[in-house]
């Protein structure tokens, strides 16, 4: 009887259970502190995560909680595993042969690797924006409508509405509304990247992953994207990987510093940049290496 | 010295000149070839003057001068060059040959007789001579050149209409009756093979057969009527005064080129050119048009494209997108590349052995056993020729599709996965559209190759003269088992297998020009399509 009740999907009950578990398994003063501040509503929980490319270990026992509706940044030198960690969150690493994962990742309380998890559904919940802007060689409209169409939406009016809303949320609508049927590749770099963000949010994900979204853009476009990211956190939980520490300082609420596959330190951005707990973090932030 | 050379070499000017020279040489050679073909082909339709030649030995020759060459004199190389001219004198039924060589020095005088006419006949080639009179069942309608020409210009279109009507009945109506009668006969035979000799089904077929016989008789009667209505004939004299009576039904057109102005010449040129494209060949392919060959070529290329493109694209997708990259795939890829270099006749032999004998033979024994030993699919036909060509060209499609796939960035694949698309959805909706221009490039190359290839076709279904087109009005409209004509083979046949080489030679050029034109047209269509796609995909190369 009790089991049936649990399975019937009482949302509050499940959430409660998850929170309970998290508190048990990740004894973190930092987290407790966050909870006190009311920010600690967890969206993504990563637990004892190890990741391998063949024999090579890329991530080493990562534990962290990414809070809901906040911007979380991963910083660190090249090759520290921050992109790998990001790609674990929507199982993009499945595409890499010989990649192997241990440990658990839960998003909104659901384990990514449980058998019933459909990767297509997962990626609808966890969108992604890439380093090199990669619009499809299709029209602007088709680019944004692609995701909803893939998930079975055929109603044209509804599609148009989604495209308009998505483009409005990335502040691109006014620039392209008259040429929705032109090729997306005719847009400028910054516009293309914003289009890619619109494409990702058109399927209404819960989490939006961004892998160095500004590294191929000029400062002006970078500024626009950053503004956008801060605005988007109202509706989405954003995880961003960046090379640029100033960027992390400007937009992120939480920052994780990674080094050689370890999560060295994770906490609120202000504190990380002003009073880092670890020596390595301080060295990196003050530019002594990396 | 060496240092100086090295300096010049490193500056690269010489290399630029060399590269430029290479390109110019290729362009000049191609342009020269095309120009040679074009001019020789254009001459064929241009009306030449009818010249009267008086030769030393007292002969007079009437005809058209078609060539001039020097006479080799190896005994006395110092002597001044002598020339001879080639005259098309026509009148093959009187002289035995159409062409004649005359030594230039032996020509005493030339004239352009205004009353000379050229008669294009349905048989025996052109007639050169003078109109004596036109008559109908003994009544003289007109006499002399001027009046005769006038009345012939009125009568010949009528007689041509009549001939067309006769041909239409013979080919379309009687052809259909024959087709159904043969079908009927085979069905009867089939029943007999099954042991059914009488009964309702047999009765029905026999009744149908009788009906068809009656129809046939009606058409025959119509034909006889039409043929009888043509009684007019024209009497001509040759340059030597021999009289020749030609029934009007034998005359396609009559003209006197010596009276032609520029306008008449251009008009004649266009009419002849159109006839060449739209008519069927006559007189062992040396006269008339090449329409069936054009039709066969285009249809073969289209069926080939329909077969080769999906096959090649699927193969390329498997090789590049799904197969585990390794030694095996590399070996397959090398094999595919080498397949493109296998001599085409080898594909032809394979086509004969596999498609015609094995598959065609099996189809015959399963579905057309009543017609055996006459083969239906177990002999060369447009389907087997197209399939053979598809095999020949599929490597081209595979290679260019693969190259296209390799150039589709991994980024857009990832982006598609990242919104939740499966591998198939990504391939179908993102990769395939992006790779479309490359597929079309492959198709263009494949079509160019297939249209120009002759050797494999010669043994898989091309014939010198096909009685019917592979598409007609009788169900199922597209008859894939039929043999067909092909421009490439037509060039070979007309140029090298013709009994009347001199008459046929100009046709080699016109047919070649036409084949090049068709290949260009097909390619051009595909190029336009590709550019449109590219434009849709990307405005510029940002």
């Amino acid at each position: 009887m009790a089991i049936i009740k649990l399975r019937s999907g009482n949302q509050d009950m499940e959430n409660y259970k998850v929170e309970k578990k998290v508190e048990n398994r990740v004894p973190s003063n930092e987290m407790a502190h966050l909870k006190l501040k009311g920010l600690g509503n967890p969206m993504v929980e990563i637990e004892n995560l190890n990741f391998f490319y063949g024999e090579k270990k890329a991530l080493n026992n990562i534990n962290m909680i990414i809070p809901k509706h906040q911007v979380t940044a991963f910083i660190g030198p090249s090759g520290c595993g921050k992109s790998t960690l990001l790609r674990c969150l929507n199982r993009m690493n499945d595409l890499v042969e010989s990649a192997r994962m241990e440990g658990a990742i839960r998003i909104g309380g659901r384990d990514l690797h449980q058998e019933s998890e459909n990767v297509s559904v997962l990626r609808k919940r966890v969108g992604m924006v890439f380093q090199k802007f990669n619009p499809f060689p299709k029209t602007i409209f088709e680019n944004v409508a692609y995701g909803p169409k893939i998930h079975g939406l055929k109603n044209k009016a509804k599609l148009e509405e989604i495209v308009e809303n998505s483009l409005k949320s990335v502040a691109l609508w006014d620039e392209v509304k008259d040429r929705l049927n032109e090729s997306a590749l005719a847009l400028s770099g910054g516009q293309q990247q914003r289009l890619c963000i619109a494409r990702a949010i058109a399927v209404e994900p819960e989490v939006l992953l961004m892998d160095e979204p500004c590294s191929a853009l000029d400062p002006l476009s970078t500024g626009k994207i950053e503004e956008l990211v801060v605005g988007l956190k109202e509706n989405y939980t954003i995880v961003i990987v960046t090379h640029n520490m100033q960027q992390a300082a400007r937009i992120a609420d939480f920052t994780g510093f990674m080094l050689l596959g370890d999560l060295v330190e994770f906490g609120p951005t202000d504190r990380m940049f002003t009073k880092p707990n670890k020596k390595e973090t301080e060295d990196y932030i003050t530019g002594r290496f990396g | 010295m060496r240092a100086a050379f090295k300096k010049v070499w490193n500056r690269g000017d010489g290399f630029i000149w060399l590269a430029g020279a290479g390109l110019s040489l290729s362009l000049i050679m191609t342009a020269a070839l095309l120009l040679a073909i074009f001019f020789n082909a254009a001459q064929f339709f241009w009306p030449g003057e009818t010249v009267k030649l008086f030769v030393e030995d007292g002969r007079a020759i009437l005809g058209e001068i078609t060539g001039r060459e020097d006479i080799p004199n190896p005994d006395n190389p110092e002597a001044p060059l002598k020339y001879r001219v080639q005259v098309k004198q026509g009148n093959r039924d009187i002289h035995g040959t159409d062409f004649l060589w005359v030594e230039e020095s032996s020509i005493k005088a030339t004239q352009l007789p205004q009353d000379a006419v050229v008669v294009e006949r349905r048989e025996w080639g052109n007639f050169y001579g003078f109109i004596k009179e036109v008559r109908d069942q003994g009544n003289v309608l007109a006499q002399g050149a001027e009046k005769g020409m006038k009345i012939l210009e009125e009568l010949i279109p009528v007689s041509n209409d009549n001939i067309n009507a006769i041909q239409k009945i013979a080919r379309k109506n009687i052809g259909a009756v024959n087709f159904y009668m043969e079908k009927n006969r085979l069905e009867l035979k089939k029943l007999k093979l099954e042991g059914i000799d009488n009964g309702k089904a047999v009765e029905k077929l026999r009744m149908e057969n009788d009906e068809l016989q009656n129809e046939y008789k009606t058409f025959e009667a119509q034909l006889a009527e039409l043929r009888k209505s043509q009684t007019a004939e024209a009497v001509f004299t040759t340059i030597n005064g021999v009289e020749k009576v030609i029934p009007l039904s034998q005359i396609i057109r009559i003209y006197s080129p010596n009276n032609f102005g520029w306008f008449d010449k251009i008009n004649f040129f266009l009419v002849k050119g159109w006839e060449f494209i739209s008519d069927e060949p006559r007189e062992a392919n040396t006269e008339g048009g090449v329409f069936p060959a054009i039709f066969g070529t285009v249809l073969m290329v289209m069926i080939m494209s329909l077969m080769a493109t999906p096959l090649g694209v699927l193969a390329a997708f498997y090789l590049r997108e799904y197969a585990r990259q390794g030694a095996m795939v590399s070996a397959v890829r090398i094999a595919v590349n080498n397949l493109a270099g296998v001599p085409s006749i080898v594909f032809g032999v394979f086509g004969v052995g596999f498609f015609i004998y094995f598959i065609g033979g099996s189809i015959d024994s399963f579905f057309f056993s009543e017609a055996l030993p006459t083969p239906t699919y177990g002999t060369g036909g447009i389907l087997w020729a197209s399939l053979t060509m598809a095999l020949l060209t599929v490597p081209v499609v595979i290679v260019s599709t693969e190259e296209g796939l390799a150039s589709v960035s991994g980024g857009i694949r990832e982006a598609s996965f990242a919104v939740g698309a499966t591998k198939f959805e990504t391939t179908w909706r993102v990769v395939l559209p992006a790779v479309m221009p490359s597929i079309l490039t492959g198709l263009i190359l494949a079509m160019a190759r297939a249209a120009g290839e002759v050797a494999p076709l010669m043994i898989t279904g091309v014939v010198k003269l096909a009685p019917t087109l592979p598409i007609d009005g009788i169900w199922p409209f597209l008859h894939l088992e039929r043999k067909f004509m092909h421009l490439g083979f037509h060039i070979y046949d007309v140029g090298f297998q013709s009994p009347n080489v001199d008459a046929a030679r100009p046709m080699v050029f016109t047919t070649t020009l036409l084949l090049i034109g068709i290949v260009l047209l097909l390619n051009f269509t595909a190029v336009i399509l590709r550019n449109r796609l590219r434009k849709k995909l990307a405005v510029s190369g940002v």
Side-chain angles (χ1 to χ4, degrees):
Chain A
M1 191 61 199
I3 295 168
I4 292 167
K5 206 174 173 187
L6 269 179
R7 286 231 176 124
S8 69
N10 184 327
Q11 204 62 38
D12 295 339
M13 190 74 168
E14 272 183 12
N15 282 347
Y16 169 77
K17 264 187 69 188
V18 166
E19 272 180 44
K20 260 287 214 253
K21 259 199 267 174
V22 168
E23 269 177 339
N24 289 343
R25 283 186 198 169
V26 190
S28 153
N29 293 332
E30 196 103 53
M31 212 57 230
H33 169 71
L34 294 176
K35 285 211 153 167
L36 280 175
K37 283 175 76 180
L39 293 168
N41 192 8
M43 187 67 211
V44 182
E45 302 151 62
I46 301 171
E47 200 177 304
N48 302 329
L49 177 70
N50 289 302
F51 190 86
F52 305 86
Y53 289 118
E55 290 303 305
K56 192 176 161 285
K57 196 167 190 182
L59 294 177
N60 186 22
N61 198 32
I62 308 276
N63 285 291
M64 80 192 310
I65 286 174
I66 294 171
K68 204 169 186 170
H69 291 181
Q70 301 287 332
V71 179
T72 303
F74 296 158
I75 58 170
S78 295
C80 68
K82 52 192 191 302
S83 284
T84 304
L85 178 58
L86 193 75
R87 283 162 169 262
C88 281
L89 301 184
N90 65 347
R91 286 177 57 186
M92 245 2 210
N93 287 325
D94 287 10
L95 302 173
V96 182
E97 258 177 72
S98 83
R100 189 161 57 84
M101 204 196 97
E102 288 167 3
I105 301 174
R106 281 181 297 277
I107 292 181
R110 282 177 57 166
D111 193 320
L112 300 194
H113 287 86
Q114 71 191 16
E115 265 175 49
S116 62
E117 182 70 65
N118 181 335
V119 80
S120 179
V121 174
L122 166 72
R123 288 183 185 147
K124 184 177 181 298
R125 294 171 58 215
V126 186
M128 188 163 188
V129 176
F130 297 83
Q131 179 174 1
K132 178 88 186 78
F133 34 90
N134 51 4
F136 300 131
K138 294 171 181 282
T139 63
I140 294 169
F141 182 89
E142 285 298 321
N143 261 280
V144 183
Y146 181 77
K149 276 188 176 172
I150 285 287
H151 294 288
L153 184 63
K154 289 201 179 79
N155 183 335
K156 199 150 186 285
K158 192 95 178 98
L159 278 174
E160 276 167 7
E161 190 190 322
I162 289 178
V163 169
E164 184 176 340
N165 289 339
S166 305
L167 287 172
K168 273 180 179 162
S169 11
V170 297
L172 197 59
W173 175 252
D174 291 331
E175 290 163 57
V176 301
K177 65 181 173 200
D178 298 325
R179 44 185 183 139
L180 289 176
N181 288 320
E182 283 175 29
S183 169
L185 301 182
L187 297 174
S188 75
Q191 287 175 323
Q192 289 194 24
Q193 189 62 302
R194 275 185 281 155
L195 180 69
C196 291
I197 298 174
R199 178 177 63 191
I201 62 180
V203 292
E204 295 174 346
E206 295 161 34
V207 182
L208 189 59
L209 309 176
M210 303 179 118
D211 191 356
E212 298 186 34
C214 302
S215 64
L217 297 178
D218 62 279
L220 204 70
S221 309
T222 302
K224 277 190 185 167
I225 302 263
E226 286 180 2
E227 248 173 66
L228 198 60
V229 168
V230 174
L232 284 173
K233 77 175 177 184
E234 249 180 62
N235 299 315
Y236 307 97
T237 303
I238 294 173
V239 186
I240 184 167
V241 162
T242 178
H243 259 320
N244 183 334
M245 276 175 293
Q246 283 75 35
Q247 188 171 62
R250 280 195 296 267
I251 62 176
D253 302 299
F254 295 88
T255 301
F257 170 60
M258 295 185 68
L259 188 62
L260 298 172
D262 287 308
L263 179 62
V264 176
E265 193 171 350
F266 181 61
T269 307
D270 316 342
R271 193 200 41 73
M272 285 278 286
F273 279 88
T274 49
K275 276 192 301 183
N277 290 340
K278 298 266 171 68
K279 174 98 178 33
E280 292 98 321
T281 315
E282 194 181 344
D283 286 349
Y284 184 72
I285 287 168
T286 51
R288 230 163 276 167
F289 79 95
Chain B
M1 179 63 202
R2 241 177 113 177
F5 174 75
K6 186 117 188 149
K7 205 172 157 192
V8 171
W9 172 258
N10 284 343
R11 215 169 55 199
D13 290 354
F15 182 71
I16 295 172
W17 280 101
L18 215 62
L23 176 68
S24 330
L25 198 68
S26 333
L27 284 182
I28 288 168
M29 287 200 301
T30 314
L33 179 70
L34 287 178
L35 279 178
I37 292 170
F38 183 78
F39 278 115
N40 276 299
Q43 269 175 20
F44 181 52
F45 304 126
W46 194 252
E49 282 152 342
T50 310
V51 190
K52 188 175 181 182
L53 302 174
F54 296 95
V55 192
E56 265 178 350
D57 55 10
R59 280 185 302 159
I61 301 166
L62 184 70
E64 193 182 316
I65 292 179
T66 51
R68 179 176 186 261
E69 64 179 36
D70 55 285
I71 306 167
N73 190 356
D75 300 333
N76 186 7
E78 300 297 311
L81 276 177
K82 282 180 163 183
Y83 290 94
R84 59 186 170 196
V85 289
Q86 188 191 36
V87 185
K88 185 177 182 184
Q89 58 173 350
N91 307 7
R92 201 187 320 146
D93 41 344
I94 300 166
H95 300 301
T97 57
D98 279 305
F99 289 86
L100 188 70
W101 286 99
V102 182
E103 237 178 84
E104 212 170 46
S105 58
S106 71
I107 298 172
K108 285 195 298 191
T110 58
Q111 255 185 18
L112 293 177
Q114 291 299 307
D115 51 350
V117 292
V118 184
V119 184
E120 232 183 281
R121 297 183 286 184
R122 285 183 210 282
E123 280 159 25
W124 297 104
N126 284 0
F127 176 88
Y128 292 81
F130 307 93
I131 301 172
K132 190 178 171 218
E133 62 180 33
V134 183
R135 60 193 189 203
D136 191 359
Q137 290 173 309
N139 306 324
V140 176
L141 300 176
Q143 264 187 325
E146 216 169 294
K147 282 182 186 163
M149 191 72 178
K150 212 170 168 192
I151 198 142
L152 281 176
E153 273 171 357
E154 277 168 31
L155 289 178
I156 286 172
V158 179
S159 104
N160 273 338
D161 286 347
N162 195 301
I163 295 284
N164 286 341
I166 289 174
Q167 274 181 352
K168 200 175 160 194
I169 291 175
R171 190 143 319 143
K172 218 172 157 187
N173 302 359
I174 296 188
V177 169
N178 279 338
F179 179 85
Y180 289 120
M181 273 168 97
E182 173 68 10
K183 215 171 139 189
N184 205 296
R185 185 184 72 82
L186 289 177
E187 268 169 39
L188 270 175
K189 198 178 163 194
K190 197 174 178 183
L191 286 176
K192 204 172 181 183
L193 284 176
E194 286 166 8
I196 303 169
D197 251 353
N198 44 27
K200 253 188 189 168
V202 176
E203 278 304 306
K204 196 175 159 237
L205 283 172
R206 291 223 169 100
M207 288 239 305
E208 274 175 18
N209 197 31
D210 290 346
E211 266 171 47
L212 286 168
Q213 286 281 7
N214 283 337
E215 254 181 76
Y216 181 77
K217 274 176 196 153
T218 326
F219 287 131
E220 274 288 85
Q222 276 181 16
L223 276 187
E225 191 90 351
L226 281 169
R227 287 208 181 99
K228 248 197 290 175
S229 71
Q230 277 301 303
T231 47
E233 53 193 18
V235 185
F236 298 91
T237 51
T238 69
I239 185 82
N240 303 317
V242 178
E243 262 192 27
K244 175 77 191 164
V245 182
I246 304 175
L248 243 54
S249 58
Q250 279 292 314
I251 301 176
I252 294 169
R253 69 166 66 81
I254 181 165
Y255 58 101
S256 63
N258 293 350
N259 293 329
F260 272 3
W262 271 100
F263 179 76
D264 295 320
K265 284 189 178 181
I266 290 170
N267 187 36
F268 183 84
F269 179 84
L270 293 177
V271 167
K272 284 289 277 185
W274 175 244
E275 184 190 276
F276 181 72
I277 293 172
S278 63
D279 257 16
E280 283 167 31
R282 286 181 283 121
E283 305 227 38
N285 294 350
T286 58
E287 303 266 345
V290 292
F291 178 71
I294 298 176
F295 192 87
T297 308
V298 172
L299 187 66
M300 188 275 290
V301 169
M302 283 181 170
I303 299 175
M304 182 282 303
S305 308
L306 279 182
M307 308 275 178
T309 317
L311 195 65
V313 170
L314 287 175
F317 266 88
Y318 187 79
L319 273 181
R320 179 65 67 176
E321 299 279 301
Y322 289 94
R324 178 189 284 267
Q325 303 295 316
M328 183 67 188
V329 165
S330 295
V332 170
R333 201 167 280 145
I334 291 169
V336 166
N337 279 317
N338 283 338
L339 209 58
V342 171
S344 53
I345 189 71
V346 176
F347 282 98
V349 173
F350 176 81
V352 171
F354 181 72
F355 289 131
I356 297 181
Y357 291 159
F358 180 64
I359 298 186
S362 309
I363 291 176
D364 276 0
S365 61
F366 282 121
F367 302 106
F368 300 98
S369 54
E370 68 274 11
L372 287 174
T374 313
T376 310
Y377 278 94
T379 176
I382 193 160
L383 176 66
W384 302 138
S386 306
L387 276 177
T388 307
M389 279 306 187
L391 272 191
L392 183 88
T393 53
V394 88
V396 182
V397 180
I398 295 181
V399 168
S400 64
T401 308
E402 262 216 276
E403 273 165 18
L405 283 173
S407 69
V408 170
S409 78
I412 65 169
R413 290 189 180 91
E414 275 195 330
S416 171
F417 291 136
V419 293
T422 61
K423 173 110 182 170
F424 173 73
E425 285 165 332
T426 303
T427 305
W428 184 250
R429 294 182 164 207
V430 176
V431 180
L432 185 64
V435 87
M436 219 39 156
S438 302
I439 295 175
L440 281 174
T441 304
L443 184 63
I444 290 168
L445 294 172
M447 286 197 303
R449 174 129 200 232
E453 200 66 68
V454 177
L457 295 177
M458 288 168 73
I459 51 179
T460 53
V462 157
V463 285
K464 182 185 165 78
L465 189 67
T468 43
L469 292 177
I471 291 182
D472 63 17
I474 299 169
W475 199 87
F477 309 121
L478 177 62
H479 304 274
L480 289 173
E481 80 283 3
R482 283 190 188 162
K483 296 193 188 311
F484 66 109
M485 289 174 74
H486 183 270
L487 283 172
F489 182 74
H490 203 75
I491 293 170
Y492 167 73
D493 178 62
V494 167
F496 303 98
Q497 303 289 298
S498 171
N500 196 353
V501 179
D502 285 314
R505 193 183 299 129
M507 277 191 92
V508 174
F509 289 105
T510 45
T511 314
T512 309
L513 187 69
L514 204 60
L515 181 54
I516 293 174
I518 283 174
V519 172
L520 282 181
L521 197 73
L522 286 173
N523 283 1
F524 198 61
T525 321
V527 167
I528 286 180
L529 200 67
R530 184 178 62 181
N531 287 351
R532 268 201 179 171
L533 271 178
R534 282 205 179 132
K535 217 173 182 177
K536 227 173 105 187
L537 295 180
V539 164
S540 61
V542 177

